[in-house]
Amino acid sequence: MKLRNSLSALMLWGTCFILMLLVLSYTLWARENYFRALDTSFSINMLKAQELINDQGFEAIEPGLQIIDAHLFYEYKSLPTSIRQQYPQSELAVGKHYYAPGITPEDKANKTDFFVYAASYLDKSHYYLVQKYAESDTSSYWDLADSQLKQIWTVSLIVTLVLVLLIIVIFRYLAKPLYRLNAWSKHLSSDDLKKPVPSFHYRELDQLALQILNSLREVDDTAQRETQFLQYASHELRTPIAIVKSNAELLQQLWSDAPESCRPPLQRIIRAGKTMHHLTETLLWLTREEMSQPKSLQFRLDLLIQQLIEEHSYLLKGKAVELKIKLDEIMVCQAETLIRILMANLIRNAMQHIDEGLISITLTDQQLTIQNTGILLNGITADDKSLDSFGLGLKLVRQICQQQAWFFETSVESNSYLAKIDLINDEQQK
């Protein structure tokens, strides 16, 4: 059970806290009532003794006071010193009892305490009934009272522990459907969305599961529609793009005496056709339902990158941009289509999103590093954490690298943008 930020843990420990608070309150209330009962019992005994003395006299009743462990004192001055030092005679009201702990050295040594009751004989003279409580080897009913008080705390503690354990067991039993719902929602796949909702034994949880399933079905339907649209659109665009591209190249070959003013537009048409061709191929590959691994071929990676740099160099025309290229001669066995898509997008982004500065393209050990330094377009600065400003191409690169387990990272510093891709995945390293 996860305790941090857990609603179930908060409810569990909150319930246990309330339970312990209730038990503690009840225990203190029972303890208070226990002492009140002792005081009431003492007062009743003393009141009964007073009635008997008024009815039968001191001589007849005094011997029987030993039954309730009480002593008779006819005068205030004859009371034990500990009582007199704590209660002046004027404070000992008739018909009330008082507790006086032993404060003299002798009483402290014997651990003696007193209960005193002030009474009057036929409403004329005052006398006092005193119960003395002292520790001794033999147990008295005061010792029994202390043991019963300890039993109250012991029983309260045991009841608290039992109830806490019972609450934990019941709570875990009631929380199992929540954990099942959590596990079920975590492992939902596209195939599971077509299945009915399993029962979680509680109507509210079943309704919540149904809402989760319906929401995921809507998201899945939307994703499938978008994927199908990209598939259909990319597939349908392949033919017209191929026609535009081939006819533009054919027109360039046949129109040898074309005016100089017509050549730049024709070159732009050819380059746009190549860009659209690469983009449609990328979208088709990314939206395949079965992501089969493209066929790997042996080819020179540096030559492919050099070719792509030349194809996209038109993006630097009219810009004060220096191009620094360092490509090691590297032979690789990879899916050439994917590599072309990745490198073309990275190179096109680097050349398209800079207005002035330096572009460094370095290839070493199947690792390509492209760094833009200078005045970047789209207002990208070190404080701009949104790297999506570099367009759809960067998103496609990131998605392909995730599917192929290739290392890819980007970073933004002051007037600098860095993209790094490593075409060696963990399995190839092993």
Side-chain angles (χ1 to χ4, degrees), residues 43 54 73 154-155 177 186 204 251 256 259 268 271 322 394:
S43 297
N54 289 337
F73 293 87
T154 303
V155 171
K186 281 183 178 179
E204 293 80 5
L251 183 61
S256 57
R268 286 195 293 271
R271 290 193 293 265
E322 178 185 356
L394 189 61

Side-chain angles (χ1 to χ4, degrees), residues 111-115 131-135 140 142-143 146:
K111 297 182 180 180
T112 302
D113 298 328
F114 303 91
F115 288 92
Q131 281 187 329
K132 183 173 66 173
Y133 171 55
E135 288 192 354
S140 63
W142 295 107
D143 297 321
D146 281 346

Side-chain angles (χ1 to χ4, degrees), residues 162-360:
V162 171
L163 290 179
V164 167
L165 292 176
L166 184 61
I167 287 177
I168 292 176
V169 171
I170 295 176
F171 192 88
R172 290 181 65 88
Y173 173 77
L174 296 177
K176 280 184 179 180
L178 286 175
Y179 301 145
R180 286 182 53 217
L181 176 60
N182 185 34
W184 172 78
S185 61
K186 281 183 178 179
H187 297 89
L188 277 177
S189 62
S190 298
D191 295 335
D192 296 328
L193 298 180
K194 302 175 183 179
K195 300 177 182 179
V197 178
S199 176
F200 294 97
H201 304 297
Y202 297 101
R203 183 177 64 255
E204 293 80 5
L205 295 183
D206 291 341
Q207 293 175 351
L208 179 59
L210 182 60
Q211 292 177 1
I212 293 174
L213 190 63
N214 290 335
S215 299
L216 291 178
R217 283 173 177 171
E218 293 178 2
V219 173
D220 186 66
D221 291 341
T222 302
Q224 289 185 3
R225 286 195 299 269
E226 292 178 353
T227 300
Q228 290 177 355
F229 171 78
L230 289 176
Q231 288 178 337
Y232 297 153
S234 301
H235 187 271
E236 294 298 328
L237 286 174
R238 294 179 72 182
T239 300
I241 290 174
I243 293 174
V244 171
K245 180 182 175 185
S246 59
N247 281 274
E249 293 176 352
L250 179 60
L251 183 61
Q252 184 183 27
Q253 295 176 4
L254 297 178
W255 200 7
S256 57
D257 57 345
E260 189 65 29
S261 59
C262 295
R263 295 183 183 275
L266 185 59
Q267 291 293 330
R268 286 195 293 271
I269 293 174
I270 295 174
R271 290 193 293 265
K274 291 181 179 180
T275 301
M276 289 188 293
H277 173 73
H278 289 314
L279 181 58
T280 53
E281 292 296 325
T282 303
L283 293 176
L284 279 174
W285 185 84
L286 289 175
T287 55
R288 288 176 185 171
E289 293 184 0
E290 296 182 0
M291 299 301 296
S292 58
Q293 180 67 30
K295 185 177 180 180
S296 298
L297 300 174
Q298 289 279 350
F299 63 95
R300 285 270 300 274
L301 181 59
D302 57 304
L303 295 181
L304 174 62
I305 294 175
Q306 185 65 47
Q307 178 186 352
L308 294 174
I309 293 174
E310 294 174 0
E311 289 181 0
H312 294 86
S313 59
Y314 71 93
L315 295 171
L316 298 179
K317 289 185 178 179
K319 298 181 179 180
V321 177
E322 178 185 356
L323 188 61
K324 182 179 180 181
I325 303 173
K326 181 182 179 182
L327 305 176
D328 292 347
E329 183 177 326
I330 296 176
M331 182 69 68
V332 296
C333 182
Q334 297 281 7
E336 185 178 3
T337 303
L338 295 184
I339 301 299
R340 179 178 289 274
I341 292 171
L342 293 178
M343 301 306 175
N345 278 293
L346 291 177
I347 293 172
R348 181 168 58 251
N349 279 339
M351 295 182 176
Q352 186 176 356
H353 295 90
I354 189 171
D355 190 52
E356 180 181 341
L358 172 66
I359 299 178
S360 299

Side-chain angles (χ1 to χ4, degrees), residues 364-387:
T364 305
D365 296 332
Q366 298 193 35
Q367 184 182 83
L368 176 67
T369 303
I370 301 178
Q371 184 173 11
N372 288 23
T373 305
I375 300 176
L376 306 181
L377 300 182
N378 295 326
I380 297 178
T381 63
D383 297 329
D384 187 4
K385 302 303 181 183
S386 177
L387 302 182

Side-chain angles (χ1 to χ4, degrees), residues 59-93:
E59 292 79 5
I61 301 303
E62 185 174 4
L65 293 177
Q66 296 179 359
I67 299 176
I68 59 175
D69 197 19
H71 302 275
L72 178 63
F73 293 87
Y74 295 95
E75 297 178 349
Y76 172 79
K77 62 182 180 180
S78 62
L79 286 173
T81 306
S82 294
I83 297 178
R84 286 185 285 106
Q85 288 181 354
Q86 297 177 68
Y87 297 102
Q89 184 176 5
S90 59
E91 292 185 8
L92 295 177

